[in-house]
Amino acid sequence: MQSKIIRLVLRGSDGHRSLTELAWREEWDLTEIRHTEPPFVEVWDVPGRDAEVHFVRDEMVGLEYVVFHGADVAPEVQQVRDFCPLWTQSDAIDALGKVRDRDGKLRAIYAAALAATGPEDDRLITLFRSIAVNEQDSGVRQAVIVSTGYLPWDGLIQLVSEMRVNDPESRVRNNAQVMLEGLRRHPPGTTGQE
């Protein structure tokens, strides 16, 4: 039986501190630290159960998140939800409608993709499509492509395919091609990475 993987996106500068405090309080065992090259990862094992908690500082998207591995992670997921400041998909979608600065847009795009759960959400796909078509900043449009690597929904892959042909900048079109090739070579669910 394949173990379930769940991801929660930490919000603000206190996320890692809060998670570390929770880990020590709950007596999780710190079993691995990878800080030599991005992404930076810390792994805690939950004694007595099939549960691991991974903290990830992902420099690619400028966010930190927690990934849970194992068949028995529900208590830890709830503890992190209760104790740590988190992005939800709805928070990120709301932020995208309000932010005007580049960094805010990038943070909200990545938070929306990383916090997404469940089946494809037409609201998020429509919002990303609007960004891909209407956003003047090529870096913000490119964030839609990068997000698709984290959230490879069919609707987003189709959008990246369209960007590969229609984006006004060759750099963005080329990066869309790279993303599509990567997804072709490593279909969603086959990499085992955070």
Side-chain angles (χ1 to χ4, degrees), residues 133-151:
V133 171
N134 299 315
E135 176 62 48
Q136 296 299 310
D137 185 332
S138 63
V140 174
R141 292 194 312 273
Q142 184 154 297
V144 171
I145 295 167
V146 173
S147 291
T148 301
Y150 292 87
L151 187 63

Side-chain angles (χ1 to χ4, degrees), residues 16-184:
H16 183 250
R17 183 194 52 76
S18 296
L19 181 66
T20 301
E21 187 177 322
L22 176 63
W24 288 112
R25 186 186 79 191
E26 296 300 319
E27 299 182 352
W28 300 342
D29 295 327
L30 183 60
T31 60
E32 185 176 354
I33 299 174
R34 288 182 270 157
H35 282 198
T36 56
E37 60 183 59
F40 304 113
V41 178
E42 296 173 353
V43 179
W44 285 280
D45 183 53
V46 179
R49 293 205 332 277
D50 179 17
E52 284 185 351
V53 180
H54 295 216
F55 164 77
V56 180
R57 179 175 293 129
D58 191 332
E59 299 295 324
M60 173 69 78
V61 297
L63 291 173
E64 299 174 339
Y65 46 91
V66 183
V67 181
F68 302 85
H69 295 261
D72 191 17
V73 298
E76 288 70 37
V77 171
Q78 191 59 51
Q79 288 171 327
V80 171
R81 282 190 174 128
D82 292 343
F83 198 75
C84 297
L86 300 174
W87 280 97
T88 66
Q89 183 179 335
S90 292
D91 292 338
I93 288 171
D94 290 346
L96 267 173
K98 297 174 186 170
V99 295
R100 298 292 170 242
D101 65 292
R102 183 179 207 254
D103 287 347
K105 289 178 184 180
L106 294 173
R107 188 172 27 261
I109 289 168
Y110 293 133
L114 288 165
T117 60
E120 290 195 24
D121 182 334
D122 289 337
R123 188 175 55 145
L124 184 58
I125 293 170
T126 300
L127 185 57
F128 277 19
R129 180 171 295 284
S130 176
I131 292 166
V133 171
N134 299 315
E135 176 62 48
Q136 296 299 310
D137 185 332
S138 63
V140 174
R141 292 194 312 273
Q142 184 154 297
V144 171
I145 295 167
V146 173
S147 291
T148 301
Y150 292 87
L151 187 63
W153 287 342
D154 291 342
L156 292 179
I157 293 170
Q158 177 60 40
L159 175 57
V160 172
S161 295
E162 294 167 18
M163 293 175 76
R164 180 182 56 84
V165 175
N166 299 323
D167 195 89
E169 290 196 32
S170 64
R171 179 178 58 88
V172 175
R173 291 191 306 271
N174 290 338
N175 287 328
Q177 177 61 40
V178 169
M179 177 58 70
L180 293 169
E181 181 63 22
L183 291 169
R184 185 190 67 74

